[in-house]
Amino acid sequence: MFETGTNADNELHTDHSPTPKRSFITHLSMDECQAPGDGTRLLDTNDTCEGQRGSSHSEFLRQFMKTSGPPQIIAVCLLISLALGSTIGVVPAVVEDRYARLKHGYDGEASCLDIPKVDRPKECLFGNEDAQNSAAISGFIANALTFATSSLMGSISDERGRVGIMRIGIGLSLLAPLNLVLMQLYPNMDPFLYYASHAISGAVSWMAVALSAISDVMPPVWRAPSFGLVLAGFSMGFAVSPILAVFMSHLTISIFSLSILVIGFVFVSFYMPETLSSEAAQKARLNRVAEMRVIESEFDMWKYYAMRPINDLLILNRNTLFRLMSALAFFSGCVGSADLALFIYYVEENLGFNAKDIAVLFLMRGLSGIFVQTVILKPLNSVIGERRVIMFAFSVGALHNYLYGVATSKRMFFIASTIATMTSMSFPTISAIKANNVDEIEQGRIQGALYSLSSLASAIGPMLLRYIYHQTKDNALYGKGTMFVFGSGLYVIATFFACMLPEQKTNSKYSSNDSKKLRRLAGYGTLDL
């Protein structure tokens, strides 16, 4: 029911269109040129695709910047990361102090985080615990909503376009910064509204749709580095933004963050080009109508729409590759989300990080992330292939999480956090493999489905590691850092699953060699096409 004219085993179909050149079409080749508006991907005997495969890094960057859509997505990522990164150290400080005052009776003039760690009253420590728990619960709900809706949003974007879904998602992301500003304007306002609005933003995830938009216009061999540039845009914003918090008050930087997000929303609403071709949208709608052919009553219609999110998720069970990719997304997502959600609270409480330390940390991580995504990823991907890039990234993930767990000084945590940026190569590489193994009309669906699974992992991860933290914080071996050591073990499991990925379907270089041989055979008449 879910096959849409594609073949999961790369079956070749003859192109019957009149053309003087000998050619063949494959739906799931990892290395092909795609004609605009055509649901299939054409491998011809000319040298067009060869030029793309052998292109230099500078040529890739020029083509990326000339293509309508990807540069605008990078701009949006930069704006949003600038907005979110500028308050990443503000939120724990504001919320911890607010919980300490409202729930635990703290009445000191100084904010909790302005007090040296050794002199910090127990009310502030209790407030920090409440803030971490609220962040974990909020993240759980947000990711649960993303799990339930992401594949559906991706499927809808395949039929209706990418920009509308992105506009809704970014619009929802305005609610949490708005409540952060209001919380500082009204001293008795409970942080619940901030965390509730953050949770609601998970209902529509714009990021998976943005990746689908890049897949619409970039050839398969350039998708991994293209997705890497998306992360580079985020890294640039996160590198610069925490520094602003050093020179601005909490309220000022919160208003700045909200203003930047409003600018991003306006930019997407009026200046983001639609990347989905009308032909691809029409094919996706026809495919959806074909799936509805068994509907005979109003009950069947309601049942279909109720089950549609689950049916869209079933693409993850299509073949062995997708099942392995799902395992990768789950285990790595558990740890990555926990690292992101909890490590700021952890370093503030246990290593005495202040706003300046956090700004320096994110500057180092941001610059390192930009270097990894723009300089290292594409050459490394060309040399060792996508499968080994993922194995390497997850191995580094295991290492840096272990270092997090045993770190006893700021310096050691800085080193581990910088190393951690190598792990980020896994995200664009996995996204590229997903995009390269489905047809044009399923780009949104597959990105959304695996993003749903990652969100489920992101919902479970912080809660799981918080449970490990509470059970082991008085342990004599690793103490409070045990949760990161546990996360290191999950990355080891993810590395094992990465080793099992089939090379033929994951590495675009491998597929490139196969397609070259097939074209030579076709040219000499050995292969009858």
Side-chain angles (χ1 to χ4, degrees):
M1 181 174 181
F2 295 98
E3 298 292 339
T4 61
T6 63
N7 189 302
D9 295 320
N10 288 349
E11 181 181 63
L12 299 179
H13 299 272
T14 303
D15 182 9
H16 298 291
S17 59
T19 176
K21 291 186 178 181
R22 193 180 289 257
S23 61
F24 62 92
I25 293 175
T26 175
H27 291 274
L28 295 181
S29 173
M30 298 279 298
D31 189 67
E32 74 279 350
C33 289
Q34 182 172 336
D38 190 355
T40 59
R41 297 163 183 170
L42 183 60
L43 288 170
D44 210 325
T45 53
N46 60 34
D47 293 327
T48 302
C49 291
E50 298 299 328
Q52 289 179 351
R53 294 184 195 104
S55 60
S56 66
H57 193 68
S58 59
E59 183 180 346
F60 154 69
L61 292 175
R62 286 195 299 270
Q63 186 62 36
F64 183 92
M65 297 308 297
K66 287 167 54 180
T67 304
S68 179
Q72 288 84 355
I73 290 174
I74 298 297
V76 172
C77 292
L78 179 60
L79 288 172
I80 289 179
S81 61
L82 187 64
L84 299 181
S86 62
T87 59
I88 200 164
V90 174
V91 173
V94 172
V95 174
E96 176 182 330
D97 186 76
R98 184 59 53 86
Y99 274 130
R101 295 178 186 277
L102 293 182
K103 298 181 65 175
H104 303 289
Y106 175 65
D107 57 0
E109 293 184 4
S111 175
C112 282
L113 286 185
D114 291 336
I115 304 173
K117 180 185 174 183
V118 293
D119 300 325
R120 201 168 295 169
K122 63 179 181 179
E123 291 87 355
C124 290
L125 299 179
F126 293 148
N128 181 274
E129 290 280 335
D130 291 338
Q132 291 191 56
N133 291 334
S134 296
I137 294 171
S138 172
F140 177 86
I141 296 174
N143 285 293
L145 288 173
T146 302
F147 169 74
T149 62
S150 186
S151 60
L152 177 62
M153 293 298 108
S155 182
I156 291 174
S157 76
D158 284 335
E159 303 172 26
R160 305 297 178 185
R162 316 295 187 193
V163 175
I165 302 296
M166 291 182 63
R167 187 183 300 125
I168 296 172
I170 295 175
L172 288 175
S173 70
L174 293 171
L175 298 178
L178 174 61
N179 279 292
L180 180 62
V181 171
L182 294 176
M183 187 163 54
Q184 295 172 78
L185 293 176
Y186 298 97
N188 293 322
M189 179 176 169
D190 195 288
F192 170 80
L193 287 177
Y194 169 79
Y195 286 112
S197 57
H198 176 267
I200 292 173
S201 67
V204 179
S205 175
W206 64 271
M207 188 62 191
V209 177
L211 296 180
S212 302
I214 291 179
S215 297
D216 290 336
V217 294
M218 297 302 292
V221 291
W222 283 351
R223 283 174 181 161
S226 295
F227 297 153
L229 289 181
V230 173
L231 281 192
F234 274 108
S235 297
M236 185 177 298
F238 279 113
V240 176
S241 55
I243 299 176
L244 301 176
V246 178
F247 304 102
M248 299 183 189
S249 68
H250 288 168
L251 178 59
T252 303
I253 197 65
S254 299
I255 294 173
F256 170 82
S257 173
L258 177 61
S259 301
I260 292 296
L261 278 175
V262 170
I263 292 173
F265 176 75
V266 172
F267 181 84
V268 170
S269 299
F270 297 101
Y271 299 102
M272 176 69 69
E274 180 57 65
T275 58
L276 184 69
S277 67
S278 57
E279 294 86 352
Q282 179 66 17
K283 288 180 180 179
R285 287 193 290 270
L286 291 175
N287 180 65
R288 180 65 58 186
V289 171
E291 290 181 353
M292 298 173 64
R293 64 184 182 274
V294 297
I295 295 177
E296 298 177 351
S297 65
E298 185 175 349
F299 174 78
D300 290 337
M301 178 69 72
W302 283 104
K303 180 180 177 182
Y304 171 80
Y305 282 113
M307 295 296 294
R308 181 174 173 180
I310 299 175
N311 291 335
D312 286 333
L313 274 173
L314 290 179
I315 192 174
L316 298 177
N317 195 41
R318 176 174 290 180
N319 55 38
T320 301
L321 172 65
F322 286 1
R323 287 189 285 271
L324 287 173
M325 297 291 288
S326 301
L328 292 178
F330 182 80
F331 286 108
S332 62
C334 277
V335 191
S337 63
D339 286 351
L340 183 64
L342 301 177
F343 92 98
I344 291 294
Y345 297 95
Y346 179 83
V347 296
E348 287 182 343
E349 178 185 356
N350 297 286
L351 297 177
F353 271 54
N354 54 33
K356 182 179 178 181
D357 295 323
I358 292 172
V360 173
L361 176 67
F362 275 87
L363 178 62
M364 292 176 59
R365 286 188 62 152
L367 295 177
S368 178
I370 293 170
F371 180 79
V372 167
Q373 299 298 336
T374 60
V375 177
I376 295 180
L377 177 57
K378 187 177 187 297
L380 187 65
N381 186 68
S382 299
V383 172
I384 67 176
E386 286 87 343
R387 173 174 167 268
R388 290 180 179 85
V389 168
I390 296 173
M391 292 167 57
F392 172 74
F394 286 164
S395 299
V396 174
L399 172 63
H400 85 72
N401 267 271
Y402 180 79
L403 293 177
Y404 279 172
V406 300
T408 56
S409 65
K410 292 182 180 181
R411 180 180 180 183
M412 190 171 181
F413 208 93
F414 275 120
I415 294 173
S417 188
T418 303
I419 294 173
T421 56
M422 301 292 288
T423 308
S424 65
M425 290 191 295
S426 64
F427 173 76
T429 307
I430 290 174
S431 298
I433 293 173
K434 292 185 292 183
N436 293 345
N437 279 274
V438 296
D439 195 74
E440 180 186 23
I441 65 173
E442 294 182 307
Q443 290 295 330
R445 183 179 177 188
I446 186 60
Q447 296 288 357
L450 263 172
Y451 210 84
S452 287
L453 191 63
S454 297
S455 297
L456 176 64
S458 297
I460 295 173
M463 303 292 288
L464 176 61
L465 264 66
R466 284 293 294 166
Y467 174 78
I468 299 294
Y469 173 85
H470 285 296
Q471 296 298 315
T472 61
K473 61 182 179 180
D474 298 322
N475 186 289
L477 184 57
Y478 297 113
K480 295 178 179 180
T482 304
M483 64 176 179
F484 291 117
V485 177
F486 176 80
S488 176
L490 293 183
Y491 264 123
V492 171
I493 296 174
T495 304
F496 171 76
F497 281 107
C499 293
M500 299 172 61
L501 289 172
E503 191 127 4
Q504 301 94 322
K505 293 185 178 181
T506 55
N507 292 345
S508 56
K509 182 178 179 181
Y510 187 104
S511 182
S512 171
N513 293 333
D514 280 355
S515 57
K516 290 176 185 177
K517 293 175 183 178
L518 287 170
R519 277 194 299 276
R520 284 198 296 268
L521 290 172
Y524 285 109
T526 309
L527 184 63
D528 185 13
L529 298 175

